[in-house]
Amino acid sequence: MYRTNTCGELRKENIGTTVTLAGWVQTVRKFGAITFVDLRDRYGITQLLFGESLNTKLEEQPIGREYVIQVVGTVTERSNKNLHIPTGEIEINVTSFSILNKSAVPPFTIQDDTDGGDDLRMKYRFLDLRRNAVKKNLELRYAVNRSVRNYMHENLFMDIETPFLIKSTPEGARDFVVPSRMNPGQFYALPQSPQTFKQLLMVSGYDRYYQIVKCFRDEDLRADRQPEFTQIDCEMTFVEQEDILNMFEGLVKRVFKDVKNIDYTDRVERMTWEDAMWQYGNDKPDIRYGMQVLNLKSAFRKGGKITATGDLINGAGFGVFDNAETVLAIAVPGCAEYTRKQTDELTEWVKRPQIGMQGLVYIKCNVDGTYKSSVDKFYSEEKLKAIADAAGAVAGDLVLIVAGREERTRKAISDLRLELGKRLGLRKDNEFKLLWVLDFPLFEYAEDENRWVARHHPFTSPKPDHIEVMINNNPAIENADKYLEHPYSNIKANAYDLVLNGNEIGGGSIRIYQRSLQEKMFAALGMSEEEALHKFGFLLGAFEYGAPPHGGIAFGFDRLCSILGGSESIRDFIAFPKNNSGRDVMLDAPSTIDDKQFEELQIKLNFK
Amino acid sequence: MYRTNTCGELRKENIGTTVTLAGWVQTVRKFGAITFVDLRDRYGITQLLFGESLNTKLEEQPIGREYVIQVVGTVTERSNKNLHIPTGEIEINVTSFSILNKSAVPPFTIQDDTDGGDDLRMKYRFLDLRRNAVKKNLELRYAVNRSVRNYMHENLFMDIETPFLIKSTPEGARDFVVPSRMNPGQFYALPQSPQTFKQLLMVSGYDRYYQIVKCFRDEDLRADRQPEFTQIDCEMTFVEQEDILNMFEGLVKRVFKDVKNIDYTDRVERMTWEDAMWQYGNDKPDIRYGMQVLNLKSAFRKGGKITATGDLINGAGFGVFDNAETVLAIAVPGCAEYTRKQTDELTEWVKRPQIGMQGLVYIKCNVDGTYKSSVDKFYSEEKLKAIADAAGAVAGDLVLIVAGREERTRKAISDLRLELGKRLGLRKDNEFKLLWVLDFPLFEYAEDENRWVARHHPFTSPKPDHIEVMINNNPAIENADKYLEHPYSNIKANAYDLVLNGNEIGGGSIRIYQRSLQEKMFAALGMSEEEALHKFGFLLGAFEYGAPPHGGIAFGFDRLCSILGGSESIRDFIAFPKNNSGRDVMLDAPSTIDDKQFEELQIKLNFK
């Protein structure tokens, strides 16, 4: 061992002891004849004092930033104590030292507020990982990992490894594939998730399974997506939705406790998918604050209970509202006194292509009880008041209204609500609010292919009441324009998402476990019988031999860690992440391969 | 929840309680008007009693083997107790039941001694996994996993995930590669191990890392190799070999305790690689028994201390021995009375092509003090006695001698020793004996390429005393016949293997951490400077910024589990293994992919 102690453990009690430390040189400060060095390792920083007697050696063998050194010395009391660090009351009076390895000058400073840009830090990730900010993230990640494993173990879940070289069955995202040298012309796929395997394990009677496991999706990478990512993957047998919700809100609460020391004793709120979309314009609402959406005019619930027909706004001669499919409003607390410049800026914000609105209507609910809007020409103060009241605005609030095509407008109001929540400080990093979103639609309509796709995945079961609807109706969509009137539009799934502060951290479902229903599902998605057998024959087969009711959930581990760490970027919580082109710039991967490899795999390039 | 209790937990104390159970039907036994069903789940088996009142329903809805049923009933005392199972004192007097799912008749019986052949069981792996024998293996695997994680956590190791989509740097085994759609013409590789990443993490200051992680090697599969396998991968900073040995024999001892309840208090034995080869003919000796090899004539240690020149056997006119490069013997305890038939059978055994000897010489050390051999023509009893004494034989033992080319003969005596150890019951399943094998050669000679290859891997450091030899000598081998005289032949590595009962369960090394030495190593392996930079530039770069001394080890997790489970096959300890052609016969993978996938990846097939 190169050391008797780490750089984080020596205290006043150790004064007088002779110790050997090893670590990295954080700083070197010379004061006349003596030199102070901060020595760093994973566990902390300890101050070293090199006295006059070492000056000759220090001149012969100078030490610099990031050098790795080993020192022997005596623990002594510091005259100038630093109470900000745990070792700050002592220092090491060095009697001898050796340089274990030198360091070139790092391309950026190894500090929280480094001067290195993103690209540079990625190329030298091994140096970036030394920074305390990054180290804290990986420590948090490990703490979450440990907490999850303990909870799962205590609840009788078994970690069972599922294979990585599996069969390509693309449905939804693209598979990464791996040519098989031993089976020329054939390919493995890397798993997008262990979905079918965990279901097979339930068929096999393993009862409770989990895994913290890498998954792979070959998708065009939006910001903050990674081609390989980690899931906490879980499955249980003989359970209903309620059992899953209880078990896994328990898991997240345990993580809060273990990792953040937060006692999350509140009941976890629940909301149907329809309510979430209606009230927040979004299926993963951030419920740390209100500012709910007022549907002034909206057909969203055509097939359900509510539609807003526009009574409050129609017929006033304001064409934008009259002609819009959808008009949605939010009441922004305390912003009635926004200046023209501020409302203009918000208008520009919603007109950006990412949001895509034509404009923004506002109503100021002045503290003196008057109302002032950008559409005074069309609406009397009385009418404005009625709208503001309906939006839940009180004196001092600012009502913002957008109008347009339903889907886009809904997204716009949701984005606007989140943006204002951020600007107003309503989305606090240290406040955590969980929400179950329930009763998702089983199907989504895929316009480009004029067919149904599974909203969650093809193994999700419909609500028991909706099974008959699914079985007894032809999935074919004869009139694309009226797909919402197809009975499949209203089938709800036994599916649930767990949302934390406006982010989906987990999602799952109760699964289909009957062969006939699973076959109907594949057919509903437009798969021929032959295709279903080719891709999922093993699962259909398994369902013939006593498949039990089962369900599960998968958590996005990277995302969960980043939210707990108060960061927007999952990349900060991955030791060796890839960039937006799927490249590891440190390794310079992917890269070309040898001719011999092509030959052995019996493939060649075929550029478009 | 479909149940109030599992099938493994009800006891006498629960008598009188109304319970709901769910599980699989193991057996159905009708006795007149009543029916007994054994209901099975992960946790156990509970006997169900269906009384007369349920007969009508049982006729309408008959239940069969592997049906999934739910029953409600009262816990009652069994008249006919079965004390072999924990629930054997009670049964459930069923009041109502429902069939949750039917089952076709399984293609083989779900029992320990199943009637299903290997292929059938692999195709229906989801049923095979139901068998208690397989379930016990996966439970053991999880227990080892849990034990390892606890030990590592307590010793401050952090589980840090390393990437799966990396760069192809084949050196040794073949990489599996993954075409990158976003970077056409380029490929990722799947990691053969996280070796370079864990070293980077040490450079980054993470101090103690571990992972239980999938690794991939595209090799022609010998029996009991898998293209994807699991490693317990570990690395530590500021350590010397001794620290690693202590830490990781501690790990295995902890696993013994947690998983097998064995207190392994013995000191773990240590042996140099040379001694292992000299005394056991093998670098992973099974030291549960003696029967060490006598080197009657052997040049193995040409470069080292010992050679056996053949004094005991030479010049007796026995050409086989006189002309052989190597003559090796073992003394088999208590087998002097082997019949002619038995010795003939052993002779046939060593003549099989897998062993490849020309014949077998024996000396019987009779209990009456006489000696009888198959070479009496050439050797006097006195000479036979001298050989037998040297082999450590005592009265009643049988000395077996093989002769031939050094390498093959050494392997033959080792295999013979293991075979006889097995036959004589000296290799007991429930006895566990650990051994560190140390001081491996740094290089091996690759005849086909006339160059050095790294015996462990290119990141292993030479013994400090041997660094100069490495630096100051040209690696080129001018005379292939005399490669053993090249100074590189005698360079020993800071490498170690942990051997359990004759199986290598782990291996590792102290690493090179100096750029110049690492460059020398790459050069020694015949890599050009350019190639070294292309493949490992990131690591060489990292070594310039304060790389600390570090070392580690990796355990074969599948193998470790199989040995602890007393099985020869790792496949029995993998939930979804592949066959010897690398196929998953359940999934039917690998398989063809769509034209669209070829197009997107810009590759095509190119059959030889």
Side-chain angles (χ1 to χ4, degrees):
Chain A
M1 198 68 95
Y2 283 78
R3 62 189 173 199
T4 56
N5 297 81
T6 71
C7 295
E9 63 178 326
L10 295 169
R11 298 286 184 278
K12 258 166 83 175
E13 299 80 69
N14 305 102
I15 286 171
T17 324
T18 300
V19 297
T20 307
L21 299 186
W24 285 261
V25 172
Q26 177 84 8
T27 56
V28 183
R29 302 185 308 278
K30 241 183 124 52
F31 288 98
I34 60 170
T35 304
F36 290 104
V37 166
D38 276 349
L39 191 68
R40 185 193 73 226
D41 68 9
R42 169 177 153 198
Y43 310 94
I45 282 181
T46 297
Q47 178 165 295
L48 310 177
L49 168 62
F50 291 73
E52 213 174 332
S53 61
L54 290 169
N55 276 350
T56 317
K57 192 170 174 198
L58 273 177
E59 269 162 39
E60 285 164 17
Q61 298 179 25
I63 57 181
R65 275 206 291 144
E66 302 306 317
Y67 274 47
V68 184
I69 64 171
Q70 184 186 37
V71 301
V72 179
T74 314
V75 183
T76 51
E77 187 158 7
R78 248 165 101 161
S79 51
N80 203 346
K81 295 197 172 53
N82 175 357
L83 298 180
H84 297 299
I85 61 170
T87 62
E89 296 192 81
I90 58 97
E91 65 192 3
I92 310 299
N93 198 336
V94 177
T95 51
S96 70
F97 73 94
S98 62
I99 293 173
L100 298 175
N101 217 342
K102 293 184 183 181
S103 174
V105 177
F108 51 85
T109 55
I110 312 293
Q111 287 172 338
D112 283 8
D113 52 342
T114 179
D115 55 359
D118 239 32
D119 291 349
L120 199 62
R121 287 190 292 112
M122 282 299 134
K123 183 163 161 54
Y124 294 90
R125 183 63 169 172
F126 50 85
L127 293 179
D128 199 33
L129 286 168
R130 282 188 194 164
R131 294 194 307 120
N132 211 32
V134 183
K135 198 185 78 171
K136 271 193 174 359
N137 293 345
L138 293 188
E139 284 173 343
L140 179 136
R141 186 180 176 109
Y142 176 54
V144 178
N145 176 321
R146 183 74 188 159
S147 173
V148 168
R149 291 192 188 280
N150 285 341
Y151 181 86
M152 298 310 275
H153 182 76
E154 289 158 22
N155 285 286
L156 302 180
F157 286 81
M158 268 172 78
D159 179 352
I160 303 177
E161 292 166 64
T162 52
F164 279 76
L165 297 173
I166 66 166
K167 182 170 179 154
S168 185
T169 56
E171 164 69 19
R174 255 183 236 99
D175 284 328
F176 280 107
V177 298
V178 182
S180 166
R181 182 182 53 86
M182 291 180 75
N183 302 274
Q186 302 192 343
F187 293 73
Y188 301 100
L190 300 179
Q192 297 188 25
S193 89
Q195 183 62 32
T196 51
F197 294 99
K198 66 177 176 176
Q199 291 193 244
L200 289 179
L201 288 171
M202 296 304 104
V203 174
S204 301
Y206 285 77
D207 206 69
R208 294 183 174 195
Y209 143 95
Y210 92 102
Q211 223 184 157
I212 298 182
V213 64
K214 273 281 171 75
C215 301
F216 305 87
R217 272 178 214 172
D218 183 12
E219 291 184 283
D220 298 318
L221 300 174
R222 285 185 262 146
D224 220 28
R225 282 266 187 116
Q226 291 278 318
E228 52 175 310
F229 56 96
T230 305
Q231 277 189 359
I232 308 169
D233 193 50
C234 313
E235 198 79 5
M236 299 172 79
T237 295
F238 296 128
V239 290
E240 284 147 342
Q241 176 170 301
E242 190 63 28
D243 306 306
I244 303 260
L245 303 192
N246 289 329
M247 179 62 74
F248 292 100
E249 65 188 55
L251 170 65
V252 178
K253 286 178 175 183
R254 169 66 169 270
V255 170
F256 280 134
K257 182 63 191 167
D258 288 349
V259 177
K260 308 286 291 184
N261 199 24
I262 291 171
D263 289 295
Y264 196 107
T265 50
D266 295 357
R267 190 180 166 279
V268 174
E269 294 195 37
R270 297 178 181 193
M271 194 181 289
T272 65
W273 174 82
E274 285 201 348
D275 283 345
M277 294 301 285
W278 190 256
Q279 294 167 10
Y280 296 90
N282 183 323
D283 63 1
K284 45 183 182 182
D286 185 344
I287 57 166
R288 281 175 297 184
Y289 62 108
M291 223 191 278
Q292 288 184 13
V293 175
L294 167 66
N295 289 259
L296 283 163
K297 189 174 175 183
S298 196
F300 170 69
R301 283 200 167 182
K302 225 184 278 189
K305 285 161 284 184
I306 316 171
T307 53
T309 48
D311 300 348
L312 283 173
I313 47 171
N314 281 352
F318 184 46
V320 173
F321 285 0
D322 285 348
N323 302 327
E325 189 177 49
T326 294
V327 182
L328 303 172
I330 50 172
V332 187
C335 292
E337 302 198 353
Y338 264 27
T339 61
R340 178 64 185 262
K341 196 176 155 202
Q342 284 174 297
T343 54
D344 280 355
E345 189 270 330
L346 283 179
T347 305
E348 288 313 309
W349 195 89
V350 300
K351 286 166 90 172
R352 293 177 316 142
Q354 303 95 301
I355 308 292
M357 293 288 99
Q358 300 290 324
L360 181 69
V361 169
Y362 65 81
I363 304 173
K364 293 179 173 176
C365 311
N366 297 321
V367 284
D368 64 4
T370 62
Y371 293 84
K372 174 90 193 112
S373 84
S374 53
V375 286
D376 283 355
K377 232 191 318 188
F378 303 102
Y379 296 98
S380 64
E381 232 178 304
E382 208 173 320
K383 284 230 168 190
L384 295 177
K385 179 179 187 318
I387 296 170
D389 285 353
V394 297
D397 290 358
L398 175 72
V399 176
L400 298 176
I401 311 176
V402 286
R405 295 283 296 171
E406 177 148 6
E407 203 172 336
R408 173 165 288 200
T409 309
R410 203 171 285 287
K411 182 172 180 309
I413 201 78
S414 167
D415 288 349
L416 187 61
R417 175 182 173 271
L418 290 171
E419 174 67 17
L420 285 161
K422 198 161 107 189
R423 292 188 188 184
L424 298 174
L426 302 170
R427 306 179 68 190
K428 300 192 189 80
D429 269 358
N430 56 357
E431 188 186 353
F432 295 98
K433 202 99 183 207
L434 290 165
L435 169 73
W436 283 111
V437 178
L438 305 172
D439 302 350
F440 280 84
L442 186 64
F443 295 108
E444 268 176 358
Y445 176 64
E447 211 168 346
D448 46 344
E449 303 172 74
N450 190 40
R451 67 165 181 110
W452 302 108
V453 292
R455 197 196 176 282
H456 185 53
H457 57 47
F459 313 105
T460 297
S461 67
K463 292 271 169 205
D465 295 350
H466 295 177
I467 291 179
E468 292 295 309
V469 180
M470 185 168 150
I471 290 176
N472 296 331
N473 284 284
N474 184 340
I477 304 156
E478 300 199 344
N479 187 340
D481 280 347
K482 295 197 171 167
Y483 76 89
L484 277 173
E485 287 168 21
H486 192 289
Y488 274 35
S489 271
N490 289 318
I491 298 179
K492 292 288 188 287
N494 266 326
Y496 31 81
D497 276 359
L498 188 54
V499 174
L500 176 57
N501 292 359
N503 300 280
E504 183 210 321
I505 56 167
S509 62
I510 299 297
R511 322 300 184 187
I512 296 171
Y513 64 100
Q514 308 91 335
R515 176 167 180 146
S516 59
L517 188 58
Q518 187 65 66
E519 283 174 333
K520 180 74 188 178
M521 170 58 89
F522 288 142
L525 302 177
M527 234 184 260
S528 72
E529 220 168 295
E530 198 191 352
E531 192 185 351
L533 273 177
H534 172 70
K535 286 184 172 173
F536 299 108
F538 60 96
L539 189 69
L540 293 171
F543 284 176
E544 288 196 53
Y545 292 98
H550 61 285
I553 194 167
F555 291 87
F557 186 57
D558 310 295
R559 170 67 57 210
L560 177 61
C561 292
S562 81
I563 299 169
L564 292 171
S567 165
E568 304 243 311
S569 162
I570 64 169
R571 224 186 273 179
D572 296 345
F573 292 78
I574 297 173
F576 299 102
K578 295 190 172 50
N579 73 9
N580 280 348
S581 318
R583 294 199 70 81
D584 183 321
V585 294
M586 178 188 71
L587 298 182
D588 190 25
S591 62
T592 55
I593 56 173
D594 296 346
D595 290 345
K596 191 179 160 205
Q597 288 174 293
F598 280 112
E599 261 168 54
E600 288 185 332
L601 297 172
Q602 305 191 41
I603 58 169
K604 64 179 181 184
L605 297 179
N606 184 29
F607 287 122
K608 277 177 203 164
Chain B
M1 198 67 95
Y2 283 77
R3 63 190 173 197
T4 56
N5 297 81
T6 72
C7 295
E9 64 178 323
L10 295 169
R11 299 285 184 277
K12 259 165 84 174
E13 299 78 68
N14 306 101
I15 286 171
T17 326
T18 299
V19 297
T20 306
L21 298 187
W24 285 263
V25 173
Q26 177 84 8
T27 56
V28 182
R29 302 183 311 278
K30 241 183 123 54
F31 289 98
I34 59 170
T35 304
F36 288 104
V37 166
D38 276 350
L39 191 69
R40 185 193 73 227
D41 68 10
R42 168 178 153 198
Y43 310 94
I45 283 181
T46 297
Q47 178 164 295
L48 310 177
L49 168 61
F50 291 74
E52 213 175 331
S53 61
L54 290 169
N55 276 350
T56 317
K57 193 170 173 200
L58 273 178
E59 270 162 38
E60 286 164 18
Q61 299 179 23
I63 56 181
R65 275 205 290 145
E66 301 306 318
Y67 274 46
V68 184
I69 64 171
Q70 184 186 37
V71 301
V72 179
T74 314
V75 184
T76 51
E77 186 158 8
R78 248 163 102 162
S79 51
N80 202 347
K81 295 196 171 55
N82 175 356
L83 299 181
H84 298 298
I85 61 170
T87 61
E89 296 192 81
I90 59 97
E91 65 193 2
I92 310 299
N93 199 336
V94 177
T95 51
S96 69
F97 74 94
S98 62
I99 293 173
L100 297 174
N101 216 344
K102 294 183 183 182
S103 174
V105 177
F108 50 84
T109 56
I110 312 293
Q111 288 171 337
D112 283 7
D113 51 344
T114 179
D115 55 1
D118 239 32
D119 291 349
L120 200 63
R121 287 190 292 111
M122 280 301 134
K123 184 164 161 53
Y124 293 90
R125 183 63 170 173
F126 49 87
L127 294 179
D128 199 31
L129 285 168
R130 282 189 193 164
R131 295 193 308 120
N132 211 34
V134 183
K135 199 185 78 173
K136 271 193 172 5
N137 293 345
L138 294 188
E139 283 172 345
L140 178 136
R141 186 180 176 108
Y142 176 53
V144 178
N145 176 320
R146 183 73 189 159
S147 173
V148 168
R149 291 191 188 283
N150 285 342
Y151 181 86
M152 299 309 277
H153 181 76
E154 289 158 22
N155 284 286
L156 301 179
F157 286 81
M158 268 173 78
D159 179 353
I160 303 177
E161 293 166 63
T162 52
F164 280 76
L165 297 173
I166 65 167
K167 182 170 179 155
S168 186
T169 56
E171 164 69 19
R174 254 182 235 99
D175 283 329
F176 280 106
V177 299
V178 182
S180 167
R181 183 182 53 85
M182 291 178 74
N183 303 274
Q186 302 193 342
F187 292 73
Y188 301 100
L190 299 179
Q192 297 188 25
S193 89
Q195 183 62 35
T196 50
F197 294 99
K198 67 177 176 177
Q199 291 193 243
L200 289 179
L201 288 170
M202 296 304 103
V203 174
S204 300
Y206 285 78
D207 206 68
R208 295 182 175 197
Y209 144 95
Y210 92 102
Q211 220 183 161
I212 299 182
V213 63
K214 273 282 171 75
C215 302
F216 304 86
R217 272 177 214 175
D218 183 12
E219 291 184 282
D220 299 317
L221 300 174
R222 285 185 262 147
D224 221 27
R225 282 267 186 114
Q226 291 278 317
E228 52 175 312
F229 56 96
T230 305
Q231 277 189 358
I232 308 169
D233 193 49
C234 313
E235 198 80 4
M236 298 172 78
T237 294
F238 296 127
V239 290
E240 285 147 341
Q241 177 170 299
E242 190 62 28
D243 306 306
I244 303 259
L245 303 192
N246 289 329
M247 179 62 74
F248 292 101
E249 63 188 56
L251 170 65
V252 178
K253 286 178 175 184
R254 168 66 169 271
V255 170
F256 280 134
K257 181 64 190 167
D258 288 349
V259 176
K260 309 284 292 182
N261 198 24
I262 291 171
D263 289 294
Y264 196 107
T265 50
D266 295 358
R267 190 178 166 280
V268 174
E269 295 194 37
R270 298 178 181 193
M271 193 182 289
T272 65
W273 175 81
E274 285 200 347
D275 283 343
M277 294 301 284
W278 190 256
Q279 295 167 10
Y280 296 90
N282 183 323
D283 63 1
K284 46 182 181 184
D286 185 345
I287 57 165
R288 280 175 296 183
Y289 63 107
M291 222 191 277
Q292 289 184 10
V293 174
L294 167 65
N295 289 257
L296 283 163
K297 189 174 177 183
S298 197
F300 170 70
R301 283 201 168 179
K302 227 185 275 191
K305 284 161 284 185
I306 315 169
T307 52
T309 49
D311 300 346
L312 283 172
I313 48 171
N314 280 351
F318 184 46
V320 173
F321 284 0
D322 285 348
N323 303 326
E325 188 176 51
T326 294
V327 182
L328 303 172
I330 50 173
V332 189
C335 292
E337 302 198 354
Y338 264 28
T339 61
R340 177 65 187 262
K341 198 177 153 199
Q342 285 174 298
T343 54
D344 281 356
E345 189 270 331
L346 283 178
T347 305
E348 287 314 307
W349 195 90
V350 299
K351 285 166 90 173
R352 292 176 318 143
Q354 302 95 302
I355 308 292
M357 291 290 98
Q358 299 290 323
L360 181 70
V361 168
Y362 65 82
I363 304 173
K364 292 179 173 177
C365 311
N366 298 319
V367 285
D368 63 6
T370 62
Y371 292 83
K372 173 90 193 111
S373 84
S374 54
V375 286
D376 283 354
K377 238 198 307 196
F378 304 102
Y379 296 97
S380 65
E381 231 178 304
E382 207 173 320
K383 284 233 165 189
L384 295 177
K385 180 178 185 318
I387 296 171
D389 285 353
V394 296
D397 290 359
L398 175 71
V399 176
L400 298 175
I401 310 175
V402 286
R405 296 281 298 171
E406 177 148 7
E407 202 172 336
R408 174 165 287 200
T409 309
R410 203 171 286 286
K411 182 170 182 312
I413 201 77
S414 168
D415 288 348
L416 187 61
R417 175 182 173 271
L418 291 171
E419 174 66 17
L420 285 161
K422 199 160 109 189
R423 292 187 189 183
L424 298 174
L426 301 171
R427 307 179 68 190
K428 301 192 190 79
D429 270 359
N430 55 357
E431 187 186 355
F432 296 98
K433 202 101 183 204
L434 290 166
L435 170 73
W436 284 112
V437 178
L438 305 173
D439 303 349
F440 281 84
L442 186 63
F443 296 108
E444 268 176 358
Y445 176 64
E447 212 169 343
D448 47 343
E449 303 172 74
N450 189 40
R451 68 166 180 110
W452 302 108
V453 294
R455 196 192 177 286
H456 185 53
H457 56 48
F459 313 106
T460 296
S461 69
K463 293 269 168 207
D465 294 351
H466 297 176
I467 290 179
E468 293 295 308
V469 179
M470 186 168 148
I471 291 176
N472 296 331
N473 284 285
N474 184 339
I477 304 156
E478 301 200 343
N479 187 341
D481 280 346
K482 295 194 173 170
Y483 76 89
L484 276 173
E485 288 168 21
H486 191 288
Y488 274 35
S489 271
N490 290 319
I491 298 179
K492 292 288 188 287
N494 266 326
Y496 31 81
D497 276 359
L498 188 54
V499 174
L500 175 58
N501 292 359
N503 300 279
E504 182 210 321
I505 57 167
S509 63
I510 299 297
R511 322 300 184 187
I512 296 170
Y513 64 101
Q514 308 90 336
R515 176 167 181 147
S516 58
L517 188 58
Q518 187 66 65
E519 283 173 334
K520 180 75 188 178
M521 171 58 90
F522 289 141
L525 302 177
M527 236 183 259
S528 72
E529 221 170 295
E530 197 192 352
E531 192 185 351
L533 273 177
H534 172 71
K535 286 182 173 175
F536 300 108
F538 61 96
L539 189 69
L540 293 171
F543 284 176
E544 288 196 54
Y545 293 97
H550 61 286
I553 194 168
F555 291 87
F557 186 57
D558 310 296
R559 171 67 58 210
L560 177 61
C561 293
S562 81
I563 299 169
L564 292 171
S567 165
E568 303 244 311
S569 163
I570 64 170
R571 222 185 275 179
D572 296 345
F573 292 78
I574 297 173
F576 299 101
K578 295 189 173 50
N579 72 11
N580 280 347
S581 318
R583 294 198 71 81
D584 183 322
V585 295
M586 178 189 72
L587 297 181
D588 192 24
S591 61
T592 55
I593 56 173
D594 297 346
D595 291 344
K596 190 179 161 206
Q597 288 174 292
F598 280 111
E599 262 168 53
E600 288 185 333
L601 297 172
Q602 306 191 40
I603 58 169
K604 64 179 181 182
L605 298 179
N606 184 28
F607 287 122
K608 279 177 201 163

